[in-house]
Amino acid sequence: MNWMDDTWPWYVAGPLLAGIMFALLFLGKQFGVSANLRTMCSLAGAGRFSNFFNINWKDQRWNLYFILGGAIGGYIAAHYMGNNGVSISQKTADYLENTYQITGSKMAYLPPELFSVEGFSHPFLWAIWIGGGLLVGFGARYAGGCTSGHAISGLSNLQWPSLIAVIGFFIGGLTMVHLLFPLLFKA
Amino acid sequence: MKQFTYILLGICFGIVLYKSEAASWFRIYEMFRFESFHMYGIIGSAVATGALGIFCIKKYRLYTFDHQKMALEPKNKSFPRYLWGGVIFGLGWALVGACPGPMFILVGAGFMPLLVVIFGALIGTFLYGLLRKYLPH
């Protein structure tokens, strides 16, 4: 049963993601995960501070179920579906090891240097986690969507705004990886 | 019953993103270094399949299962919010190697630091709600 263990190829994963988007469309919903962050803020009472959060969260309940399913899927895949290494290109693996001493792509799904439980005692990693999350949350709402809403749903629907957002994603990502990583991780 | 459908679709989403490694920090890093086609293939084939399907939906005027219009309204036309929002999002995506979907998938997979990342994302969302009237849209 190799397909359980191995990396699923892109030509399987991409059409399956589109299939999930179609299933949601036929159920009358729009594929977009970051909307859940807004719903969660609403549930936590953020509506008292900004009417941006005065939404009828019950309309968004389906999306909370969807992302709960996502977490369950992550559990199933990590525990019952084979090896947890990531088959990135040797070039990338070597570069990470030689430049940032980030290792482990052969046996870990995320770099242990950045995401292990030991990291909870490192203030620097807390700053990375909170800071990175903050940029994602802020940017997704400012742009009106994330990878699922813009890159997949939006581009599939041939929307110009989504193309602009995806170009923005890449400007930001390239800046982080090529200009800011050397400053953040090399010192 | 309907909840179960959404949970089941979410489970598929989680397994596909985990097993294709699109939820891995390593893959996002590799993508931004242009050292593999993998992530471009995932996004590209998702969009190609998606565009073909949506073309058919529009051409044959398909409706949802309960005979409503599909949720395909175009986004408002503007420029700054998509570009600047996108850039800010991209900076965070590359840093933590996870967009919102994978954050939840990875918590399920047992990576507890991602709970902190989700907390950060909630703060970011909240800050946008507070600051949005001062931002160019």
Side-chain angles (χ1 to χ4, degrees), chain A residues 56-105:
Chain A
N56 186 3
W57 67 272
K58 286 185 178 158
D59 296 341
Q60 283 292 318
R61 217 161 17 182
W62 70 271
N63 213 342
L64 296 174
Y65 286 120
F66 180 78
I67 205 59
L68 170 69
I72 299 171
Y75 178 86
I76 295 171
H79 288 82
Y80 303 108
M81 299 179 76
N83 86 55
N84 280 318
V86 178
S87 44
I88 51 169
S89 84
Q90 195 56 45
K91 227 174 141 186
T92 311
D94 290 343
Y95 187 84
L96 273 173
E97 186 166 356
N98 297 332
T99 317
Y100 301 117
Q101 288 79 50
I102 287 177
T103 57
S105 61

Side-chain angles (χ1 to χ4, degrees), chain A residues 15-94:
Chain A
L16 282 174
L17 288 173
I20 291 166
M21 178 186 73
F22 291 137
L24 289 174
L25 278 175
F26 277 99
L27 289 161
K29 311 296 180 197
Q30 204 167 17
F31 184 34
V33 175
S34 66
N36 286 306
L37 297 168
R38 182 184 187 181
T39 310
M40 288 173 187
C41 284
S42 297
L43 284 170
R48 270 174 294 162
F49 303 95
S50 162
N51 60 15
F52 180 66
F53 299 106
N54 289 326
I55 50 174
N56 186 3
W57 67 272
K58 286 185 178 158
D59 296 341
Q60 283 292 318
R61 217 161 17 182
W62 70 271
N63 213 342
L64 296 174
Y65 286 120
F66 180 78
I67 205 59
L68 170 69
I72 299 171
Y75 178 86
I76 295 171
H79 288 82
Y80 303 108
M81 299 179 76
N83 86 55
N84 280 318
V86 178
S87 44
I88 51 169
S89 84
Q90 195 56 45
K91 227 174 141 186
T92 311
D94 290 343

Side-chain angles (χ1 to χ4, degrees), chain B residues 51-71:
Chain B
L52 184 69
I54 290 178
F55 175 79
C56 293
I57 285 172
K58 287 179 172 167
K59 182 162 183 196
Y60 299 108
R61 300 207 175 85
L62 300 181
Y63 287 88
T64 65
F65 292 132
D66 43 10
H67 313 290
Q68 304 292 312
K69 272 190 83 177
M70 297 250 178

Side-chain angles (χ1 to χ4, degrees), chain A residues 164-176, chain B residues 32 83 86-87 90-91:
Chain A
I164 299 167
V166 172
I167 291 170
F169 295 170
F170 272 84
I171 296 174
L174 292 171
T175 306
M176 178 55 70
Chain B
F32 284 127
L83 184 68
V87 169
L91 288 167

Side-chain angles (χ1 to χ4, degrees), chain A residues 1 4 16 24 26 33-34 41 45 70 78 83 105 114 117-119 121 135 140-142 163 179 182 187:
Chain A
M1 292 289 279
M4 286 269 281
L16 282 174
L24 289 174
F26 277 99
V33 175
S34 66
C41 284
N83 86 55
S105 61
L114 296 179
V117 184
E118 288 78 52
S121 53
L135 291 166
R141 248 355 348 102
Y142 193 3
L163 184 63
L179 301 178

Side-chain angles (χ1 to χ4, degrees), chain B residues 23-89:
Chain B
S24 168
W25 185 95
F26 288 114
R27 283 291 185 190
I28 308 303
Y29 184 78
E30 178 192 54
M31 169 179 77
F32 284 127
R33 289 187 58 81
F34 302 106
E35 285 173 340
S36 163
F37 179 70
H38 187 72
M39 289 298 301
Y40 297 97
I42 294 177
I43 299 173
S45 62
V47 171
T49 316
L52 184 69
I54 290 178
F55 175 79
C56 293
I57 285 172
K58 287 179 172 167
K59 182 162 183 196
Y60 299 108
R61 300 207 175 85
L62 300 181
Y63 287 88
T64 65
F65 292 132
D66 43 10
H67 313 290
Q68 304 292 312
K69 272 190 83 177
M70 297 250 178
L72 288 170
E73 311 87 35
K75 305 238 179 214
N76 292 331
K77 284 213 168 61
S78 79
F79 189 75
R81 71 170 299 182
Y82 298 112
L83 184 68
W84 291 117
V87 169
I88 295 168
F89 178 90

